């Protein structure tokens, strides 16, 4: 089987060494597959894709997209064209959302962030998930008539996945991480995740799941910080009838003090390293390759 991997940055800042590590890791997995001496009749395995995750129009900038493409090329990476840019494919995500709506698996949530925080603060026990306190499910129980009335009144709302209902429909699910082995999917740890908002009519979870399937990605590589998100992606795959790729979540590259790189570490952007006279090979080595 041809291994297809991808690097999927969001153009919200300049790339740093942690991104370089993730990009080189994804490319290495594709190249190592290509080196597996395929039988002469088969196409060599190993394709590496770049995807621009720019659904959040308030945070993404064209200049950061141009910079990351230039920086990755300077580092010596090459990828297939055309590059998929998520903002150009909103119809694909809308179609997936409609499918879930038709299946009665999403509901409108009218709660403001403030109201959710107040409700959680007032609760005796507020379960936490990987992204913080879990949404208490306030709007899940609203009657249809009430929903229609609020929508007609123009009250803004988000669409949330009814995770318990969805999981009942799919039954138990599993996925495999190359480093950690077989995992039983536990999408409920996030609660009813938001799949769309008015200003961003899709979400990270929905867009990434749809894109990995549409692009034929067979091995999703990304940092361990997104390990838990895969539980939700596995559920969405089952609901949308999409294939399940293999996963390889890698440790995040840390600096000399054991801290993760972040966009605020200006000195360690690829741009700054390059401008300080470092060669691409040096930067690859700093990124662990
Ligand atoms: N766009 C995400 C990020 O910048 C990564 C998405 C993924 O690899 O699933 O962290």
């Amino acid at each position: 089987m041809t291994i297809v991997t991808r690097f999927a940055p969001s153009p919200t800042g300049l790339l740093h060494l942690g991104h370089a590590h993730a990009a080189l890791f994804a490319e290495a997995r594709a190249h190592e597959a290509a080196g597996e001496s395929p039988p002469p009749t088969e196409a060599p395995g190993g394709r590496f894709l770049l995807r621009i995750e720019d659904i959040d129009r308030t945070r993404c900038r064209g200049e950061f997209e141009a910079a990351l493409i230039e920086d990755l090329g300077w580092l010596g990476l090459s990828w297939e064209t055309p590059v998929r840019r998520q903002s150009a494919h909103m119809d694909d995500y809308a179609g997936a959302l409609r499918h879930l709506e038709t299946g009665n698996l999403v509901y409108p949530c009218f709660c403001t962030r403030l109201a959710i925080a107040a409700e959680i603060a007032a609760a005796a026990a507020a379960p936490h998930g990987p992204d913080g306190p879990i949404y208490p499910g306030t709007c899940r129980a609203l009657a249809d008539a009430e929903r229609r009335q609020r929508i007609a009144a123009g009250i803004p709302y988000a669409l949330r996945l009814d995770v318990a209902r969805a999981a009942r429909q799919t039954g138990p699910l599993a996925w495999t991480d190359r480093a950690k082995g077989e995992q039983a999917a536990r999408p409920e740890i996030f609660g009813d995740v938001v799949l769309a908002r008015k200003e961003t009519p899709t979400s990270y979870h929905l867009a990434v799941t749809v894109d990995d399937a549409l692009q034929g990605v067979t091995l999703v590589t990304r940092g361990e910080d997104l390990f838990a998100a895969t539980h939700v992606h596995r559920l969405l795959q089952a609901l949308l009838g999409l294939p399940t790729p293999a996963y390889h979540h890698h440790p995040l590259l840390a600096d000399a003090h054991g801290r993760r790189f972040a966009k605020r570490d200006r000195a360690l952007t690829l741009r700054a390293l390059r401008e300080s006279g470092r060669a691409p090979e040096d930067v690859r080595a700093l990124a662990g390759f």
Side-chain angles (χ1 to χ4, degrees):
M1 184 184 66
T2 305
I3 295 280
V4 183
T5 67
R6 79 328 189 256
F7 175 54
S10 295
T12 55
L14 292 171
L15 297 186
H16 53 66
L17 279 175
H19 293 115
H21 179 75
L24 291 162
F25 187 93
E27 189 201 43
R29 298 290 79 79
H31 284 181
E32 112 201 329
E36 277 170 3
S37 52
T41 49
E42 271 177 41
R47 293 169 52 210
F48 172 63
L49 312 177
L50 173 67
R51 183 166 73 227
I52 306 294
E53 304 220 320
D54 61 348
I55 52 174
D56 184 347
R57 306 308 290 159
T58 60
R59 294 176 60 230
C60 296
R61 303 255 181 284
E63 65 259 33
F64 290 134
E65 180 185 323
L68 76 84
I69 286 179
E70 196 184 305
D71 290 348
L72 293 172
W74 174 80
L75 205 54
L77 285 143
S78 53
W79 50 88
E80 288 183 13
T81 51
V83 169
R84 185 171 171 95
R85 187 176 290 106
Q86 289 188 324
S87 58
H89 295 278
M90 297 308 269
D91 286 354
D92 290 329
Y93 317 130
L97 200 57
R98 266 198 307 278
H99 182 85
L100 299 173
E101 279 182 294
T102 308
N104 221 357
L105 296 168
V106 294
Y107 61 87
C109 169
F110 303 92
C111 300
T112 60
R113 287 194 171 90
L114 214 63
I116 296 173
E119 186 158 342
I120 287 167
H128 273 60
D131 288 344
I134 289 176
Y135 174 63
T138 324
C139 287
R140 197 192 305 127
L142 282 182
D144 271 349
E146 176 70 22
R147 285 177 178 158
R148 278 196 296 274
Q149 203 176 9
R150 292 194 193 187
I151 292 172
I155 301 175
Y157 61 94
L159 287 174
R160 288 185 184 271
L161 181 65
D162 186 334
V163 173
R165 183 188 287 232
R168 274 198 305 276
Q169 181 175 310
T170 64
L173 299 167
W175 54 278
T176 304
D177 181 78
R178 272 198 181 182
K180 298 216 166 97
E182 171 109 353
Q183 308 290 316
R186 294 188 301 128
E188 69 283 357
I189 59 176
F190 284 91
D192 289 351
V193 285
V194 168
L195 293 186
R197 293 184 194 280
K198 187 161 182 248
E199 64 282 9
T200 311
T202 180
S203 64
Y204 161 66
H205 294 307
L206 189 63
V208 89
T209 304
V210 168
D211 281 350
D212 284 333
L214 284 180
Q215 293 191 284
V217 172
T218 64
L219 174 65
V220 171
T221 70
R222 57 188 171 206
E224 275 175 348
D225 54 333
L226 289 169
F227 189 94
T230 304
H231 292 304
V232 177
H233 303 175
R234 180 65 191 91
L235 176 62
L236 289 172
Q237 287 154 8
L239 297 172
L240 296 167
L242 303 175
T244 303
Y247 289 86
H248 194 159
H249 295 90
H250 55 77
L252 296 176
L253 191 71
D255 66 13
H257 309 286
R259 284 184 318 223
R260 293 171 177 189
F261 292 104
K263 289 198 167 128
R264 60 178 181 275
D265 297 324
R266 294 252 167 93
L268 295 172
T269 62
L270 303 187
R271 194 49 61 110
L273 290 163
R274 175 180 166 187
E275 282 167 1
S276 72
R278 298 271 196 164
E281 306 76 66
D282 293 349
V283 176
R284 290 174 81 101
L286 287 172
F289 283 83

